[in-house]
Amino acid sequence: MSQFFSRRFAALTPYTPGEQPRDKKYVKLNTNESPFDVPDSVVEAAKRAAAEFRLYPDPTCLALSRALEQAEGIPADRVMWGNGSDELLNFAFMAYCDGNTPAVFPDITYGFYPVFAAVNRIPTRIIPLREDFSVDMAILIRTPGTIFLANPNAPTGIALSREEVESLVRSDPDRMVVVDEAYVDFGAETVAPLTAQYDNLLVIRTFSKSRSMAGARLGYAIGDPSLIRDLETLRYANNPYNVSRVAIAAGVAMLGEEKLMRERCEKVAAQREKTAGELADLGFVLTPSKANFLFASHPDLDGGKLYRDLKERGVLVRHFDLPRIKDHVRITVGSPGDMEMLVQTVKAITEETK
Ligand SMILES: *Cc1c(COP(=O)(O)O)cnc(C)c1O
């Protein structure tokens, strides 16, 4: 830290992204990227957009909003676009929390939430998940503050039903609920349609997982027009050109590939169930994941050691050195070949520990 670094950030612990290693070629199952490349239509659109780099992008991302309306029926005045959904989550923490309104989220969830709270100097109320990592709705409902829920949750993959989320939103119209649907396309129920009925519900989505565009940095928020205006105020106060020309063009093209996207999500979900069965046969205990990853532990294996043994053998997964989940690893659902490699490698490790 330099002598010039503001004291208000002196104690800030930033988010640690998953490794993007360059030392050797890994079977990379650590950051929940898609195993599928974007279709050619997306690459071509991005190239055409790059030819116009000289010009700033459209700060309203109108082409994206129109394409989203076509693809998913979400009206343009209920959407705002972001440089990845992380940016939108940060805006939501800024917009809907302060000294009097804490951020409320589970003890085990997306590791960026505590960082967004810290960087914005927002107090937090941490809700412990039950033993099986399910959400205790009764505790959430009686805890005041703005609720942040990843649905499905990360890194457990456990999903809440639309009814459960609605009961929370309905329980107090004066409380904001932010639902992070980064993984919803892999088998959970979206609550996006409920934003038409409830002006205290904001849904945040990303192109990084189901739409194979983690490298493009594109996400969107869906909510009542009044909420969208709040977020727009913060966006224009931070970075009006937050979505690049290439990301806009590529996103529009990707929204023209909904059928392909759905098919791919189904393939990932089927592969998830297949691999879950194979790991269970090896003695692993798994959460019922509805996301594009598995969350697994083994009674005879230390989570940190399993992560290191796998890495040594060229398979990269994610391990969180946190009290309740240090014996788990999170495994992205990759291609069939990747998953076969994972299962074979895990099998070899379990046999050696016997
Ligand atoms: C991956 C992820 C995000 C962030 O995605 P972006 O790449 O910033 O769009 C947000 N929330 C959760 C729970 C995630 O796993």
Side-chain angles (χ1 to χ4, degrees):
M1 193 193 321
S2 80
Q3 60 171 312
F4 308 107
F5 193 49
S6 168
R7 296 288 260 285
R8 52 187 214 284
F9 301 123
L12 179 68
T13 309
Y15 180 68
T16 314
E19 303 158 82
Q20 300 288 359
R22 318 235 184 282
D23 58 329
K24 63 176 183 184
K25 189 110 184 79
Y26 288 94
V27 174
K28 191 172 176 303
L29 306 174
N30 69 328
T31 50
N32 299 341
E33 288 143 333
S34 171
F36 300 104
D37 284 322
V38 289
D40 289 344
S41 61
V42 173
V43 178
E44 290 310 316
K47 277 191 196 160
R48 285 194 299 273
E52 294 189 290
F53 264 161
R54 188 178 67 79
L55 302 168
Y56 278 110
D58 168 17
T60 68
C61 299
L62 189 61
L64 271 171
S65 297
R66 290 215 171 111
L68 186 69
E69 182 155 13
Q70 280 268 311
E72 297 197 357
I74 300 163
D77 64 345
R78 306 186 153 269
V79 175
M80 187 181 99
W81 296 89
N83 190 297
S85 58
D86 287 336
E87 181 183 54
L88 298 166
L89 287 163
N90 187 37
F91 288 157
F93 274 80
M94 291 169 73
Y96 303 117
C97 304
D98 58 30
N100 301 315
T101 310
V104 182
F105 49 84
D107 59 340
I108 296 157
T109 189
Y110 186 33
F112 219 143
Y113 298 162
V115 181
F116 291 133
V119 74
N120 292 302
R121 292 145 55 95
I122 291 163
T124 57
R125 296 284 295 271
I126 309 297
I127 307 299
L129 294 180
R130 296 199 190 94
E131 198 59 36
D132 64 357
F133 301 131
S134 62
V135 176
D136 190 330
M137 274 294 169
I139 302 189
L140 263 191
I141 286 176
R142 64 171 184 261
T143 306
T146 294
I147 294 179
F148 291 83
L149 283 178
N151 192 38
N153 198 10
T156 64
I158 297 174
L160 294 166
S161 69
R162 181 178 296 171
E163 288 71 37
E164 286 173 293
V165 178
E166 184 169 11
S167 71
L168 180 64
V169 173
R170 204 176 34 208
S171 70
D172 181 358
D174 295 324
R175 170 232 285 289
M176 266 300 294
V177 178
V178 180
V179 181
D180 175 355
E181 293 192 337
Y183 301 104
V184 78
D185 294 325
F186 300 104
E189 289 179 292
T190 179
V191 294
L194 297 181
T195 58
Q197 281 170 63
Y198 298 98
D199 67 2
N200 61 327
L201 172 64
L202 186 75
V203 176
I204 295 182
R205 299 245 194 98
T206 178
F207 277 49
S208 294
K209 277 73 184 226
S210 59
R211 289 195 167 97
S212 302
M213 283 175 51
R217 313 305 305 128
L218 186 61
Y220 56 108
I222 310 163
D224 187 81
S226 63
L227 302 180
I228 296 304
R229 283 194 295 273
D230 300 338
L231 299 178
E232 290 288 11
T233 298
L234 295 176
R235 189 171 74 87
Y236 279 95
N238 279 275
N239 185 8
Y241 302 112
N242 59 333
V243 180
S244 78
R245 199 164 258 288
V246 167
I248 293 173
V252 169
M254 194 66 208
L255 285 167
E257 303 278 359
E258 287 289 283
K259 187 160 161 285
L260 178 72
M261 190 272 285
R262 298 277 161 215
E263 285 164 9
R264 287 173 162 189
C265 288
E266 276 166 30
K267 283 186 187 154
V268 168
Q271 181 66 57
R272 175 186 72 215
E273 298 309 314
K274 178 168 185 276
T275 305
E278 289 164 356
L279 290 174
D281 289 344
L282 294 174
F284 279 83
V285 180
L286 295 109
T287 55
S289 173
K290 294 285 183 204
N292 67 339
F293 54 81
L294 293 164
F295 195 54
S297 64
H298 190 289
D300 307 331
L301 297 173
D302 174 85
K305 184 163 187 310
L306 176 59
Y307 155 78
R308 288 189 298 277
D309 288 350
L310 281 169
K311 186 173 178 184
E312 206 166 276
R313 292 163 208 231
V315 180
L316 201 56
V317 299
R318 188 100 199 244
H319 176 250
F320 300 94
D321 198 8
L322 297 171
R324 291 181 67 189
I325 56 171
K326 64 178 183 335
D327 282 326
H328 290 71
V329 289
R330 191 196 69 191
I331 306 161
T332 303
V333 177
S335 68
D338 287 351
M339 297 325 270
E340 189 168 327
M341 180 70 96
L342 166 86
V343 172
Q344 289 314 317
T345 311
V346 166
K347 193 165 175 217
I349 292 169
T350 50
E351 274 163 10
E352 282 164 28
T353 22
K354 265 182 197 151

